[in-house]
Amino acid sequence: MADDRNLSVGGYRFYTEKDAQLAATELKKIEYLEARIDYSRPDSILMVYEKTIHERIFKTPVGLQYLKELRDYLLKQSEIDPERVPEIPLYNSFSGEVRAKSAPVRNRIKAADGGKDGEKSGFAISVILNVLLVLAVICMFTITLRSDNPNVLNYQRVLTDRYAQWEQELTERENAVREKERELKLNGDTDYFTK
C-alpha cells in the first residue's frame, strides 16, 4: 500500500495515489489562479468561475472546495446577480444509483452469467457458427479442385491435361502434313517445294 503521506492533499486523504496526484495538480492550479485573480473586479472572477465549471477543471474535493469559496464570494458581491452564479455540478454519485443505471457492461455481464439458459444459447450459437465455417471451407476446396485454372491443389492434373491436348493437336497436324505429302507424291509433283 502507498504511504499515507502521499495520499493526503489539502486536508483530504485519497484512496489512490493517482487521485492524490490529481488533487495536488488542482492545488497548483488554485495557487496559479489566486496569484492572478483581481478580487476588485467581481465580473472577471465570475468569468473564471464559469470557465472552470464549464471546462471541468476541478474534480477532486480540493478543487471543489475552492469553487465553493469563489461562489460564496461572488454571492456576497452586490454587483453580481445571484442568478448569474451557477451552482457547482458534481459529476459523481455518492449513493451508487447512477453507476448502476449507467453501467451497461455490468448488465451484460449479469445476462451472460444468467445461468444455464444463457450458457445453452451461447453454446448453440457457437456450434451453428462452427458448422457454417466448416461448410464454407468445404465449398472453397470443392470450387478450387474443380477449377480449370492451375492452383496448389490441382496443378498437376491441369498441366497434364494441357500437355495431352497439345500433344494430340501436334499429332493431328503431323498426320495432316503427312497426308498432304503423300497426295503430292502421288500426283507426281515432286518439284512443288523447289519452285
Side-chain angles (χ1 to χ4, degrees), residues 42-43 46 50 74-75 77-86:
D43 281 335
L46 179 61
E50 289 174 336
L74 289 168
L75 291 174
Q77 302 304 309
S78 59
E79 308 91 60
I80 302 292
D81 180 20
E83 296 292 321
R84 289 181 53 203
V85 181

Side-chain angles (χ1 to χ4, degrees), residues 90-110:
L90 298 177
Y91 298 107
N92 54 354
S93 171
F94 298 102
S95 66
E97 289 179 24
V98 175
R99 283 190 186 151
K101 290 180 184 175
S102 66
V105 173
R106 287 186 184 172
N107 294 337
R108 281 186 274 157
I109 291 172
K110 286 180 184 176

